Amino acid sequence: MGKCNMQKTVDFIKETFKTNEFIPLHEPRFIGNEKKYLNDCIDSTFVSSVGKYVDTFEKEFAKIVGSKFAIATVNGTAALHISLLLAGVKRDDEVITQPLTFIATSNAISYLGAKPIFIDVDLDTMGLSPKSLKNFLETNCEVKENICINKTTGKTIKACVPMHTFGHPCKIEEIKKICDIWNIILVEDAAESLGSFYKNKHTGTFGKIGAFSFNGNKIITSGGGGVIVTDDEVLAKRAKHITTTAKIPHPYEYVHDEIAYNYRLPNINAALLVAQLEQLERFLVSKRELATKYKEFFSNLDINFIEEPKDSKSNYWLQAILLNDINQRNEFLEFSNKNGVMTRPIWRLMNELEMFKNCQKDDLKNAKYLEERVVNIPSSVIL
Ligand SMILES: *Cc1c(COP(=O)(O)O)cnc(C)c1O
């Protein structure tokens, strides 16, 4: 990239964010009704897991993504955990996912005693590759009595969890078709993709179940929080039941009908979230404007800015560039972070982590390529 272009990039980012102070990768913005709703929530004393903001949020969220039901949870990892449990994933099952993702995806699979299988991503979407998925299944698997069996391990492949990396939708329609043929349940990790659409349908609504996150660095935040979406009423009811300790509704008695989880989103977090949801459109406009600016700037320097893939509309949650090789990447990370602009490499591949190094995988050629080259650059909403 050269020292001169690195300096130009740092200057451009400071100019764009209108500051000479340290620029973080992604800061939340509280510019709407956040304080008002939080005060109202405190005054009501309903700060815990029952309250009107949880209900309002669930209704509004379902409307926005176009799903029939939404069930709020304490965080996105919990949403994924319960989504996989509802998909029927059990101990010793296998779940296909991508190695290029945040750790939560593989953690959630592991909580159920299941094992991830890592399949390669596409270069244009950075999400699970339908071609690689199909190839893996045709080479290694067979369907017997409606169950997808991995011939190498003899185990059942129960679910598949693609992820929409940085908000860029993966080829989810093709992935769904393949999963249907192979009797694999599709669960979407849409943690990063609120406001992202594939062919005008919201991400997270293609599979049987989808999970979103509202962690502090996501496009909107409740401090910590998550949500499960589904069109299946039975699953939705079950999601609510097992995230609220499986308590049988009763005015004063505590009776529970199974071992379950305390995963409900507190009303005080939901109050913040309802206010944030009101700002979503504005945030999306700002992020798209920033992407346009970055694209123009980087094209003049002959550096690859990562744009939304074909057939999709991205939320541009985290902006990213693709550098030439790992040396250039390291140079740029070093220079920018030293000069007050926070940048970050894409995740270390899951199969390289100690806990997952023995998991089955394909060649992961594209994932490796991206791992060595993709860098996230400041992406906060500019006021
Ligand atoms: C943020 C995120 C999650 C969920 O994270 P929480 O911090 O538990 O809300 C899951 N998957 C991916 C890909 C994420 O980026």
Side-chain angles (χ1 to χ4, degrees), residues 133-326:
L133 174 65
K134 184 163 180 273
N135 186 41
F136 175 85
L137 291 167
E138 284 174 354
T139 314
N140 297 284
C141 303
E142 60 184 348
V143 177
K144 259 193 191 162
E145 290 164 15
N146 291 327
I147 295 170
C148 179
I149 306 286
N150 182 347
K151 288 188 281 190
T152 323
T153 61
K155 302 211 161 140
T156 302
I157 298 180
K158 191 63 70 64
C160 173
V161 193
M163 199 276 285
H164 305 287
T165 305
F166 306 146
H168 298 307
C170 65
K171 294 172 183 130
I172 191 67
E173 219 174 50
E174 273 180 74
I175 292 170
K176 181 171 167 29
K177 269 187 206 146
I178 297 164
C179 286
D180 285 347
I181 291 169
W182 288 86
N183 270 301
I184 294 170
I185 295 178
L186 179 60
V187 173
E188 279 173 270
D189 184 345
E192 306 184 350
S193 63
L194 173 59
S196 300
F197 294 80
Y198 184 79
K199 295 186 181 166
N200 292 320
K201 186 171 160 63
H202 201 290
T203 53
T205 64
F206 287 81
K208 199 163 183 63
I209 318 171
F212 293 81
S213 164
F214 308 110
N215 186 30
N217 65 350
K218 295 299 197 302
I219 189 159
I220 61 167
T221 184
S222 48
V227 69
I228 297 165
V229 299
T230 182
D231 282 342
D232 185 319
E233 188 170 4
V234 174
L235 288 187
K237 284 202 169 128
R238 206 163 143 62
K240 185 156 181 178
H241 191 59
I242 56 174
T243 52
T244 33
T245 65
K247 183 179 179 293
I248 299 167
H250 189 281
Y252 47 84
E253 258 205 290
Y254 275 73
V255 181
H256 309 258
D257 61 4
E258 63 181 302
I259 294 172
Y261 302 87
N262 178 15
Y263 275 181
R264 278 295 269 176
L265 183 72
N267 199 43
I268 193 153
N269 296 84
L272 187 56
L273 197 49
V274 170
Q276 285 270 286
L277 206 50
E278 292 171 354
Q279 300 295 319
L280 179 62
E281 269 317 307
R282 181 177 173 181
F283 290 176
L284 287 168
V285 168
S286 164
K287 280 175 176 291
R288 184 161 288 271
E289 276 171 14
L290 179 60
T292 308
K293 281 186 195 159
Y294 272 142
K295 187 187 156 194
E296 196 195 324
F297 171 76
F298 285 115
S299 77
N300 288 331
L301 297 190
D302 231 0
I303 292 166
N304 246 313
F305 173 72
I306 297 179
E307 288 181 73
E308 66 194 345
K310 198 168 134 266
D311 295 328
S312 64
K313 184 165 185 199
S314 174
N315 66 3
Y316 280 104
W317 166 57
L318 276 191
Q319 318 270 354
I321 52 176
L322 181 79
L323 296 174
N324 288 342
D325 55 43
I326 194 163

Side-chain angles (χ1 to χ4, degrees), residues 34 36-58 72-74 221-225 262-275:
E34 285 86 354
K36 185 173 158 211
Y37 294 169
L38 282 170
N39 273 327
D40 175 56
C41 182
I42 290 167
D43 289 344
S44 78
T45 76
F46 282 90
V47 295
S48 199
S49 58
V50 175
K52 69 171 186 187
Y53 285 109
V54 176
D55 300 335
T56 305
F57 164 72
E58 290 179 339
T73 60
V74 281
T221 184
S222 48
N262 178 15
Y263 275 181
R264 278 295 269 176
L265 183 72
N267 199 43
I268 193 153
N269 296 84
L272 187 56
L273 197 49
V274 170

Side-chain angles (χ1 to χ4, degrees), residues 36-144:
K36 185 173 158 211
Y37 294 169
L38 282 170
N39 273 327
D40 175 56
C41 182
I42 290 167
D43 289 344
S44 78
T45 76
F46 282 90
V47 295
S48 199
S49 58
V50 175
K52 69 171 186 187
Y53 285 109
V54 176
D55 300 335
T56 305
F57 164 72
E58 290 179 339
K59 273 199 205 94
E60 284 300 310
F61 194 84
K63 221 191 293 166
I64 284 174
V65 302
S67 71
K68 286 206 180 109
F69 306 97
I71 302 93
T73 60
V74 281
N75 57 52
T77 311
L80 273 173
H81 178 187
I82 298 302
S83 298
L84 288 163
L85 189 153
L86 294 173
V89 174
K90 297 203 168 60
R91 182 159 297 281
D92 291 332
D93 283 342
E94 294 177 338
V95 176
I96 292 176
T97 189
Q98 57 197 67
L100 197 68
T101 179
F102 177 58
I103 188 80
T105 325
S106 296
N107 277 346
I109 294 167
S110 308
Y111 296 164
L112 292 159
K115 230 177 171 180
I117 296 174
F118 299 114
I119 300 298
D120 207 4
V121 297
D122 282 320
L123 286 175
D124 56 344
T125 67
M126 299 180 287
L128 190 69
S129 160
K131 211 169 140 197
S132 300
L133 174 65
K134 184 163 180 273
N135 186 41
F136 175 85
L137 291 167
E138 284 174 354
T139 314
N140 297 284
C141 303
E142 60 184 348
V143 177
K144 259 193 191 162

